[in-house]
Amino acid sequence: MMPPRPERGPRIDTSRPHDPATTGKWKDDDHDAAHAARLDAHPDDEETTLTDTDLVVLGGGSGGYAAALRAAQLGLTVTMIENDKVGGTCLHTGCIPTKALLHAAEVADSARHGDAVGVKSSLEGIDMSGVNSYKDGVVAKLYKGLQGLVKSRKITVVQGTGRFVGDRTVEVDGQRYTGKAVVLATGSYARSLPGLDIGGRIMTSEQALTLDHVPDRVVVLGGGVIGVEFASVWRSFGAEVTIVEALPRLVAAEDEWCSKQIERAFRKRGIEFRTGVKFVGAEQGESNVTVRLEDGSSLQADLLLVAVGRGPSTADTGFAEAGVTMDRGFVPTDERLRTNLDGVYAVGDIVPGLQLAHRGFAQGIFVAEEVAGLHPQVIDEVGIPRVTYSNPEVASVGLTEAQAKERYGEVSTVVYDLAGNGKSQILRTAGGIKLVRSGGADTPGPVVGVHMVGERVGELVGEAQLVYNWEAYADDVAQLIHAHPTQTEAFGEAHLALAGKPLHAHG
């Protein structure tokens, strides 16, 4: 049997403005008493340094601004504190600029391989100033739109570095902002390794996004999402790329089948990778960087990209000093995103779990509705879709086969090869869709994992998350009609096969 999912809250109208009189979330008397207590502790605050609001949000990235926008939509007064630009890492130095580079890489590959479809085209080269102009233009347009949206919701934006001082209060340059609730959303930073200093020819993704040239040779340290995406970009731009990954396979957080598919595709593209080998050190010279590995071998390249994950940006934030429970820099929460302190929530990359912008969005919206007394449904972390935007893409939701076996014991799987899908052949992409179902053939349960590899499969993950989150059975999806010719047909065909009635597949 399936384990129970988190209990759903009552169905309510979540579009209505917040009304404390009807939600009963806060009591003005309690807030006034807390306000008086703060003044006793800080008697000078009344006239010069104390600003009250419904919600104080520390951090204007994906999770923070989502909380701010939704809270304002519900009628709460919101103060959002940001030390850089609203939009955070995702908009300015992460998701958006990286995907712009990946699109430019796709265009480069299309030009390079035009002859394969009868189009006389060739790739003359990569103009990085033009690529960066395109990338920066996308970011600027989205940033302008976000600024306008924040302004239209009458959200107070405070520019500066905030420090949480306890008692639902954040201090910025001597000014204190106190909320009936506080959201901690300070985001993350690009990690390095002990003894590996960033600078010169050794860089993280943030510096890589601003390169004014295409390097001839690159070593990518880390075979996770960031490393694989940059490796894909640089290979499309013409660089020789080698990925070094200490774990046994690339994108090791994904289903093992996905790793095999991406490794096979990378071999065909000429991307080299060394898995199961640890990094020892790196030395920079005038014209190159030498990377030493634990097996005694070394690699030389024009630059070394350090892509070993991201850490929580919680240093010098005052969290621990104010009594927030911490775990290796992260802020643990309960399923309703509450910290150990009353009225203090945390969202996004500082909360242990997947470090994804859309997870932060969802958590920000959740907290805003929770604070407004709407009691939203708890977020199922396993039901959050994951996409790696390399060529080919990797997209998944739910459990891997190994995780499903650990949870349910008996599982059944099927893989539908994209070779049988018309649109995938038109796109000249290889890959497949793997489904994981709880239970065996005689006792089938719902689909608990969807794993896809191929060009543009990230666009299929929307339907995949519905299947997982609605606990659909293969028969439920098999009866749905998918438009022809689309890649969504492959999704339908996979469920037909799992339901025991394959059409465009052997079996």
Side-chain angles (χ1 to χ4, degrees):
M1 293 180 61
M2 287 281 290
R5 290 285 178 89
E7 183 179 350
R8 293 178 182 270
R11 292 187 177 275
I12 53 177
D13 178 9
T14 57
S15 64
R16 69 179 186 274
H18 166 67
D19 181 359
T22 59
T23 63
K25 178 62 180 176
W26 298 315
K27 296 180 180 178
D28 288 339
D29 290 344
D30 291 344
H31 181 63
D32 290 343
H35 179 85
R38 284 195 306 277
L39 292 179
D40 289 340
H42 306 281
D44 296 331
D45 286 350
E46 176 68 16
E47 297 298 328
T48 60
T49 65
L50 193 60
T51 302
D52 281 4
T53 186
D54 288 334
L55 186 66
V56 174
V57 181
L58 179 53
S62 302
Y65 85 68
L69 289 174
R70 182 62 177 136
Q73 189 177 52
L74 291 169
L76 278 64
T77 56
V78 181
T79 297
M80 180 168 61
I81 299 161
E82 170 58 42
N83 66 358
D84 196 353
K85 295 179 179 179
V86 174
T89 295
C90 176
L91 176 55
H92 299 286
T93 59
C95 318
I96 298 302
T98 304
K99 277 55 185 179
L101 287 185
L102 283 156
H103 178 64
E106 181 183 3
V107 173
D109 285 333
S110 295
R112 184 182 287 113
H113 302 301
D115 281 350
V117 295
V119 176
K120 298 298 181 182
S121 63
S122 60
L123 182 63
E124 295 184 4
I126 303 297
D127 173 15
M128 281 307 300
S129 64
V131 171
N132 286 332
S133 177
Y134 154 69
K135 165 181 64 69
D136 295 342
V138 172
V139 172
K141 184 174 183 180
L142 291 172
Y143 180 44
K144 183 178 180 181
L146 179 58
Q147 287 177 302
L149 190 58
V150 169
K151 184 177 181 180
S152 72
R153 298 278 173 87
K154 296 180 171 56
I155 295 167
T156 299
V157 178
V158 177
Q159 192 73 37
T161 299
R163 183 177 178 84
F164 181 61
V165 295
D167 198 18
R168 290 174 290 185
T169 300
V170 176
E171 184 175 295
V172 185
D173 297 329
Q175 177 76 24
R176 293 195 169 197
Y177 301 87
T178 297
K180 297 173 182 176
V182 170
V183 180
L184 308 179
T186 49
S188 62
Y189 66 94
R191 288 186 185 272
S192 187
L193 296 176
L196 183 57
D197 296 328
I198 303 301
R201 296 180 180 275
I202 301 174
M203 61 186 63
T204 69
S205 58
E206 293 186 11
Q207 294 81 42
L209 282 170
T210 62
L211 279 180
D212 60 2
H213 67 285
V214 177
D216 292 328
R217 298 172 300 167
V218 184
V219 172
V220 177
L221 181 58
V225 173
I226 297 172
V228 163
E229 288 183 351
F230 271 95
S232 187
V233 167
W234 279 324
R235 184 56 184 158
S236 295
F237 285 174
E240 296 180 8
V241 182
T242 302
I243 303 172
V244 175
E245 171 56 58
L247 295 174
R249 53 192 175 90
L250 299 181
V251 290
E254 297 290 345
D255 189 272
E256 188 173 353
W257 173 84
C258 291
S259 295
K260 291 179 179 178
Q261 295 292 313
I262 196 77
E263 288 173 1
R264 180 182 302 150
F266 273 19
R267 288 190 190 98
K268 289 182 178 179
R269 293 188 59 197
I271 298 174
E272 298 184 8
F273 51 90
R274 303 277 301 276
T275 55
V277 59
K278 293 183 179 180
F279 167 86
V280 173
E283 290 81 34
Q284 298 191 54
E286 290 185 8
S287 59
N288 59 35
V289 56
T290 301
V291 179
R292 293 181 288 108
L293 305 180
E294 192 177 47
D295 62 4
S297 64
S298 63
L299 302 166
Q300 286 196 337
D302 297 319
L303 63 85
L304 169 64
L305 174 69
V306 181
V308 293
R310 298 186 65 83
S313 293
T314 55
D316 301 320
T317 57
F319 295 172
E321 294 84 346
V324 177
T325 296
M326 308 293 291
D327 180 11
R328 295 168 299 155
F330 289 95
V331 181
T333 69
D334 64 9
E335 64 179 6
R336 305 204 73 80
L337 300 173
R338 296 173 294 202
T339 70
N340 62 302
L341 300 183
D342 182 48
V344 180
Y345 300 80
V347 301
D349 286 357
I350 65 172
V351 179
L354 296 169
Q355 292 181 313
L356 299 170
H358 46 283
R359 173 182 180 250
F361 288 141
Q363 289 179 334
I365 293 168
F366 177 95
V367 167
E369 295 182 355
E370 179 79 356
V371 169
L374 300 182
H375 196 67
Q377 181 184 345
V378 169
I379 298 169
D380 178 5
E381 292 264 328
V382 182
I384 298 173
R386 310 173 293 272
V387 184
T388 302
Y389 294 89
S390 53
N391 180 15
E393 292 181 351
V394 180
S396 62
V397 65
L399 302 172
T400 66
E401 181 177 352
Q403 291 168 338
K405 285 179 177 178
E406 183 178 351
R407 178 176 296 189
Y408 300 107
E410 186 176 14
V411 301
S412 48
T413 67
V414 69
V415 174
Y416 179 78
D417 197 314
L418 292 184
N421 176 252
K423 186 58 179 286
S424 295
Q425 289 308 297
I426 292 169
L427 294 173
R428 303 180 73 246
T429 186
I433 297 176
K434 176 179 178 178
L435 303 179
V436 181
R437 174 178 63 186
S438 64
D442 298 330
T443 57
V447 174
V448 297
V450 180
H451 310 278
M452 303 177 286
V453 178
E455 282 190 37
R456 304 185 188 180
V457 295
E459 303 303 322
L460 306 182
V461 82
E463 184 175 3
Q465 73 164 326
L466 295 180
V467 169
Y468 171 81
N469 284 294
W470 287 349
E471 301 179 359
Y473 284 68
D475 284 326
D476 299 329
V477 185
Q479 66 180 340
L480 301 176
I481 299 172
H482 293 81
H484 176 78
T486 63
Q487 285 186 296
T488 63
E489 281 185 291
F491 191 83
E493 292 270 4
H495 285 83
L496 280 168
L498 189 59
K501 43 187 177 184
L503 187 61
H504 295 97
H506 297 285

